[in-house]
Amino acid sequence: MVSSSHVLNLPVTLGWEDDQLRILDQTRLPQESTIETLTNAYEVWRAIHELRVRGAPAIGVAAAYGLCVAVRKSQHLSLDAFRAEMKEQAAYLDSARPTAVNLSWSLKRMQRAADRSNATDAATLYRTLVSEAQAIHREDQDLCERIGQHGAQLIRPGSGVLTHCNAGALATTGLGTATAPIYTAQRDGVAFRVFADETRPLLQGARLTAYELQRAGVDVTLITDSMAASLMAQGRVDVVIVGADRVAANGDFANKIGTLNLAIVSRHFGVPFYVACPSSTLDLDTPNGAGIVIEQRGGNEVTQLGGRAVAPPGIKVSNPAFDVTPHDLVTGYITEAGIIRAPFAVNLAAQFGQAA
Ligand code: MRU
């Protein structure tokens, strides 16, 4: 698999080679870099559901290629039967995780490409789907670059930048979203430091963000989630940049559990709080955060750490994977079109109404 960002030595999340979808199994990082080939719809569904490929934009790209994997063996069917099969497989893949809108965004886009196609046989329509998935993949890399260019101005020499979860190269197929300004500033030779929240329960910050930033030569310090307020109280954080899984029309957004705490403490200490995301993460059909479905995950993610029990047997557990941050705690959205500021309901629609 080939990296678009080899200058920074970033890990490559996924690739399409010889009509095969290959992913880096993120559940094994940072200890092992294992590439897995996904050969059928169930394997793609499971890889997304089990977070081997995760992060909103990466899920979108994986699902687009995943749909190609799912219908590849159906090219002998009649065109109508192939189209019906494609619809069924898209609905199945869409059920892998509920919160990141990029999953359904990309599958709808694949469907539109099929609807537009004037292919007269299934094999030709299959090639159209592969081309569309490759376009989604290329665009994702380009969106990350542009987010980086717009967001880098927020990082000055000596800045302390705090981020949560992994909205990095591993969550996309390019520079990441929250990390795109970081990598861009790094490439520009700016000297700054990043604090990465470990991000319980699954430690995406420790396992993934700390890993990829360190690999890219960024000055990164790992902290536990509960340390952010204390760092801010000491004046060591100048800006917070996080990613998003879904942004509602009024600017409320869902991101990894713990993001809301961070937004609240940022407001308390007067630290600017930015959300970096491409327009594919906008859901302008959902009016506000109350309409965002939050994924609930298994209790063992909380009661175990590294496969070992850290809580008494039989304890009740709550494990929502995401929380919703209200728009009034957001300083701005760093998007491919620039930094969007309040009023978000007006400015997001004005910028992206047509596209979304
Ligand atoms: O459960 P995950 O690891 O898929 O959660 C990922 C996040 O919450 C990211 O911050 C979000 O998807 C933005 S990725 C650019």
Side-chain angles (χ1 to χ4, degrees):
M1 300 195 294
V2 180
S3 168
S4 65
S5 309
H6 43 277
V7 179
L8 290 158
N9 190 28
L10 299 182
V12 182
T13 308
L14 58 81
W16 180 261
E17 283 161 26
D18 305 327
D19 251 17
Q20 305 265 20
L21 172 57
R22 298 207 170 86
I23 61 153
L24 175 63
D25 181 351
Q26 299 193 28
T27 60
R28 293 172 181 261
L29 289 173
Q31 288 87 357
E32 287 172 41
S33 286
T34 308
I35 308 292
E36 202 184 341
T37 302
L38 306 177
T39 59
N40 59 48
Y42 173 64
E43 286 178 6
V44 176
W45 186 95
R46 207 178 54 165
I48 294 173
H49 186 72
E50 294 178 352
L51 277 56
R52 285 183 225 170
V53 55
R54 34 65 52 204
I59 291 173
V61 179
Y65 284 133
L67 186 59
C68 301
V69 169
V71 297
R72 185 175 43 206
K73 292 202 175 74
S74 304
Q75 291 178 67
H76 63 281
L77 295 177
S78 72
L79 192 57
D80 284 351
F82 183 85
R83 284 186 184 278
E85 173 70 4
M86 184 197 140
K87 210 168 185 171
E88 198 171 305
Q89 296 294 347
Y92 171 62
L93 291 175
D94 197 19
S95 71
R97 293 187 78 187
T99 304
V101 71
N102 305 61
L103 178 57
S104 56
W105 171 86
S106 120
L107 291 167
K108 280 183 199 149
R109 185 166 150 175
M110 294 291 281
Q111 182 66 57
R112 283 200 300 275
D115 293 346
R116 270 198 318 270
S117 165
N118 45 22
T120 52
D121 61 84
T124 308
L125 186 51
Y126 170 75
R127 297 295 350 148
T128 303
L129 292 178
V130 171
S131 299
E132 188 68 7
Q134 288 170 325
I136 290 172
H137 187 175
R138 279 193 305 273
E139 283 169 32
D140 179 59
Q141 296 174 339
D142 178 54
L143 294 173
C144 293
E145 283 287 340
R146 284 153 64 191
I147 289 170
Q149 281 153 18
H150 293 297
Q153 59 181 286
L154 303 171
I155 301 176
R156 309 227 160 81
S159 282
V161 183
L162 189 122
T163 190
H164 188 67
C165 191
N166 175 266
L170 287 163
T172 66
T173 58
L175 291 179
T177 60
T179 56
I182 291 170
Y183 288 132
T184 306
Q186 172 83 358
R187 277 195 310 214
D188 291 348
V190 179
F192 60 99
R193 81 161 43 119
V194 176
F195 297 100
D197 274 357
E198 67 171 350
T199 317
R200 272 287 279 152
L202 292 180
L203 302 173
Q204 287 93 330
R207 292 187 304 103
L208 308 179
T209 304
Y211 164 73
E212 62 166 83
L213 290 180
Q214 185 186 56
R215 209 177 124 130
V218 174
D219 178 349
V220 56
T221 302
L222 179 63
I223 61 169
T224 67
D225 300 333
S226 50
M227 293 174 186
S230 163
L231 276 184
M232 287 186 198
Q234 295 165 40
R236 294 166 72 192
V237 180
D238 299 288
V239 62
V240 173
I241 309 178
V242 297
D245 285 84
R246 189 181 293 247
V247 181
N250 73 339
D252 295 349
F253 76 101
N255 192 49
K256 181 55 58 190
I257 193 78
T259 301
L260 174 58
N261 301 41
L262 210 48
I264 292 168
V265 296
S266 299
R267 171 59 54 90
H268 179 82
F269 288 108
V271 175
F273 180 88
Y274 286 93
V275 182
C277 66
S279 51
S280 51
T281 304
L282 297 183
D283 177 9
L284 299 184
D285 292 334
T286 295
N288 56 53
I292 299 178
V293 176
I294 299 295
E295 177 181 7
Q296 306 292 324
R297 296 188 62 89
N300 59 348
E301 292 181 354
V302 178
T303 57
Q304 295 179 6
L305 205 47
R308 291 188 56 191
V310 292
I315 191 75
K316 283 195 287 183
V317 174
S318 171
N319 187 19
F322 302 96
D323 56 27
V324 173
T325 298
H327 61 91
D328 56 304
L329 294 178
V330 177
T331 308
Y333 279 93
I334 312 168
T335 72
E336 71 267 23
I339 299 182
I340 311 288
R341 298 183 189 272
F344 296 116
V346 175
N347 293 341
L348 288 173
Q351 187 65 54
F352 299 110
Q354 287 293 357

